[in-house]
């Protein structure tokens, strides 16, 4: 018998405000981002672990402000005058500038070139003091930037993230399965992404829906590793 052919299509990610689930883990960070008109010195640092929602919040803010989004690792080769022509700029993974003296210098100049009416949002997993910056002037400016933190996901947030991740892959699972997985999986959004991707891949390969038995088998395998 010929098995079912599996087409592992890329997930469709939703980064709009409507897709951002608010919980105690991220409510304060969302309020800080929404208060961009009042940021001290026009700058805000958004800190949180991988998968905590930094990119999603950045996209929400960019949609609200028309901000230009750039990666920290790309700043060394960026056209800074063209970049600062935008009234709002977001630097994602700003901590990666520490890998390149040119990127550190570029971020330093970016701080200085922001106009009084401009806004600068930066994201990183940790505060700037932990990045190993070599440029003292940049380090002082970064450490003076207001910080908003994204915490580890609570059950409500993790449940919503699982539902969204399955929806991004156009997969529907019973609500009871979502709650069952949340109580047994690692409490992180990165783990949720890995779990959903693995479940989708296995279900496609087997030609079967995602069930509690399939999830239990996969979670047991993860624990053994």
């Amino acid at each position: 018998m010929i098995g079912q052919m599996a087409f592992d299509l890329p997930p469709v990610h939703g980064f709009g405000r409507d897709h951002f689930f608010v919980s105690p883990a991220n409510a304060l960070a969302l309020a800080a981002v929404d208060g961009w008109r009042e940021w001290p010195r026009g700058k805000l640092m958004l800190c949180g672990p991988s998968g905590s929602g930094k990119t999603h919040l950045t996209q929400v803010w960019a949609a609200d402000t028309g901000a230009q989004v750039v990666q920290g690792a790309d700043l060394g080769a960026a056209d800074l005058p063209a970049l600062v022509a935008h009234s709002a700029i977001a630097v994602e993974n700003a901590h990666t500038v520490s890998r390149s003296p040119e990127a550190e210098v570029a971020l330093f100049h970016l701080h200085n070139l922001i106009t009084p009416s401009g806004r600068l949002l930066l994201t990183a997993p940790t505060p700037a003091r932990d990045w190993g910056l070599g440029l003292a002037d940049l380090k002082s400016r970064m450490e003076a930037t207001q910080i908003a933190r994204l915490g580890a996901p609570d059950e409500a947030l993790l449940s919503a993230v699982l539902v969204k991740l399955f929806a991004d892959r156009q997969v529907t699972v019973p609500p009871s399965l979502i709650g069952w997985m949340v109580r047994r999986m690692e409490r992180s959004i990165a783990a949720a992404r890995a779990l959903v991707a693995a479940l989708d891949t296995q279900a496609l390969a087997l030609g079967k829906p995602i069930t509690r038995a399939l999830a239990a088998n996969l979670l047991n395998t993860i624990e053994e590793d």
Side-chain angles (χ1 to χ4, degrees):
M1 181 181 295
I2 299 176
Q4 177 173 330
M5 185 177 293
F7 294 94
D8 192 6
L9 299 176
V12 179
H13 298 292
F15 283 120
R17 183 178 289 271
D18 291 345
H19 292 97
F20 191 83
F21 183 85
V22 183
S23 84
N26 58 32
L28 291 178
L30 175 62
V33 170
D34 278 344
W36 56 271
R37 293 177 179 84
E38 308 301 326
W39 290 350
R41 303 182 186 88
K43 303 166 188 175
L44 180 72
M45 168 73 71
L46 192 59
C47 289
S50 176
S52 60
K54 299 187 298 296
T55 291
H56 197 156
L57 264 184
T58 298
Q59 293 300 320
V60 169
W61 182 71
D64 288 345
T65 61
Q68 180 76 11
V69 180
V70 62
Q71 292 293 320
D74 297 333
L75 275 179
D79 183 343
L80 292 186
L83 194 58
V84 297
H86 297 266
S87 59
I89 303 165
V91 180
E92 287 203 278
N93 299 304
H95 61 292
T96 58
V97 301
S98 64
R99 303 170 187 170
S100 163
E102 292 79 11
E104 285 197 29
V105 170
L107 184 55
F108 172 72
H109 288 315
L110 189 58
H111 272 272
N112 293 337
L113 291 170
I114 293 293
T115 65
S117 61
R119 293 294 181 269
L120 177 62
L121 175 66
L122 307 110
T123 74
T126 60
R129 64 174 181 270
D130 301 325
W131 299 357
L133 292 171
L135 188 60
D137 287 340
L138 173 62
K139 184 177 180 181
S140 65
R141 281 165 173 74
M142 294 300 301
E143 292 185 352
T145 301
Q146 178 185 351
I147 294 177
R149 298 180 186 273
L150 287 158
D154 51 28
E155 284 196 11
L157 177 56
L158 198 56
S159 296
V161 166
L162 285 171
V163 171
K164 178 185 181 298
L165 289 170
F166 281 121
D168 286 345
R169 293 173 175 271
Q170 302 177 21
V171 175
T172 302
V173 299
S176 59
L177 180 57
I178 296 293
W180 184 89
M181 288 192 295
V182 166
R183 292 189 294 273
R184 290 163 176 81
M185 64 180 289
E186 177 188 326
R187 191 63 62 84
S188 78
I189 294 179
R193 282 188 178 139
L195 179 59
V196 168
L199 283 171
D200 189 27
T201 298
Q202 288 195 11
L204 284 170
L206 294 171
K208 296 179 179 180
I210 295 173
T211 62
R212 181 176 297 188
L214 186 64
N217 182 63
L218 184 58
L219 286 170
N220 288 336
T221 302
I222 293 172
E223 289 177 359
E224 291 171 0
D225 292 342

